[in-house]
Amino acid sequence: MTAPATPLGAARRLPRALALRLGVPVVAVALWQLAARARGSVFFPTPARIVEHGYHLWFSGPAERAFLTDAAVRDLLPSLGRVLAGFGLAAAGGIVLGLALGRSRTVYALCDPVLQFARAVPPPALVPVFVVVFDLGTPMQLASIVFGAIWPVLINTAEGVRGIDPLRLDVAATVRMRPAERIVLLYLPAALPRVFAGLRLSLSLSLILMVFSELLPGTADGIGFSLTDAQTRSDLLTVWAVMVLLGALGHLLNSALLAVERLALGRHRAAHRT
């Protein structure tokens, strides 16, 4: 039998856990710093210069505005709004449609060829269609994000529902559980691990498609617009700062989603044990 963890034991393990988690990134950044300084090329600035430039560009504003500069308000906030809105719409639509399709093997079999065809179409290939339907601007950008990000959630949710234990369905039929109760108490909890697997993929796609949609002509703000503008002006330091910012933003969003996943799955497993 394993002894329960104590606060002292957890405190002793914390430095080792931090070293394991941060060791490789710290070494990679240090090597990058040394290599860039040795090379001395304007095309490959040091991480220190990139971080300093990004700080002055986006995070050196007044305290009453959360230290955000005018450039941050113009570039970061619109992009963050687009990626969160697109991901939220894709997640909600994918879960609802996945629950609806996964409950019926016949319906899923009929719709599966269409789903596989639609998910195989690259979202950039549909940009001309979205431009005609929604015109240039935020609606077109959201449509691009939702179309590309909905499929991992939808298919994973449907597969999770299809994998439910048939014995549970028999019990639900015996106690005459209503359809809404089956969805909330039976199908959704059973599909939850697959749902979060789809959400993680969807979040990554949402970030990628957000940047792509902001690279298109007619965009006047956002991180992608800032990247295109910097490339046009040959401002390589801003180009590197944007790339580092995108990596940090993706990491933060993924960490937040993982925290929600651990919380939701932990409660689900605790409820299942009781």
Side-chain angles (χ1 to χ4, degrees):
M1 184 175 180
T2 304
T6 63
L8 181 59
R12 289 175 177 174
R13 289 194 297 269
L14 183 60
R16 183 172 182 271
L18 289 176
L20 291 174
R21 186 174 182 83
L22 301 178
V24 173
V26 169
V27 170
V29 170
L31 292 176
W32 181 4
Q33 177 79 15
L34 293 174
R37 288 185 61 182
R39 182 77 179 271
S41 171
V42 296
F43 297 102
F44 300 101
T46 63
R49 286 192 63 201
I50 295 171
V51 171
E52 181 183 6
H53 181 73
Y55 167 75
H56 289 295
L57 183 61
W58 294 308
F59 304 110
S60 59
E64 60 270 16
R65 205 163 60 180
F67 301 102
L68 296 177
T69 63
D70 292 337
V73 174
R74 183 186 66 244
D75 298 331
L76 305 189
L77 297 186
S79 294
L80 188 61
R82 290 182 187 117
V83 72
L84 292 179
F87 172 69
L89 291 172
I95 291 173
V96 171
L97 292 175
L99 288 171
L101 295 178
R103 291 176 58 192
S104 172
R105 294 185 180 274
T106 302
V107 173
Y108 186 83
L110 291 173
C111 295
D112 185 60
V114 178
L115 296 178
Q116 300 303 328
F117 174 82
R119 70 179 294 200
V121 177
L126 291 176
V127 166
V129 178
F130 293 146
V131 170
V132 171
V133 175
F134 300 103
D135 204 355
L136 292 172
T138 299
M140 181 275 293
Q141 294 166 331
L142 288 179
S144 301
I145 295 172
V146 172
F147 179 83
I150 194 173
W151 307 115
V153 184
L154 193 160
I155 293 175
N156 274 278
T157 301
E159 290 293 339
V161 171
R162 292 181 64 200
I164 192 171
D165 187 354
L167 181 60
R168 294 190 176 187
L169 296 177
D170 293 337
V171 173
T174 301
V175 299
R176 297 182 181 179
M177 189 178 290
R178 290 177 293 181
E181 292 176 332
R182 293 191 184 193
I183 292 175
V184 175
L185 301 177
L186 199 63
Y187 292 112
L188 189 56
L192 210 54
R194 296 293 298 267
V195 169
F196 275 104
L199 288 175
R200 289 197 299 271
L201 292 174
S202 176
L203 181 60
S204 299
L205 287 172
S206 296
L207 188 62
I208 294 170
L209 292 170
M210 176 271 292
V211 176
F212 172 78
S213 68
E214 293 177 348
L215 296 176
L216 299 174
T219 303
D221 55 24
I223 298 175
F225 172 78
S226 177
L227 180 62
T228 304
D229 182 62
Q231 288 176 330
T232 303
R233 295 183 288 103
S234 298
D235 185 359
L236 298 179
L237 202 55
T238 298
V239 171
W240 279 99
V242 169
M243 290 190 290
V244 171
L245 176 67
L246 287 172
L249 181 61
H251 177 69
L252 289 175
L253 292 175
N254 185 67
S255 298
L257 182 59
L258 286 175
V260 174
E261 178 182 0
R262 284 193 293 267
L263 180 63
L265 293 182
R267 289 183 176 179
H268 167 63
R269 295 189 183 102
H272 184 69
R273 284 195 298 266
T274 57

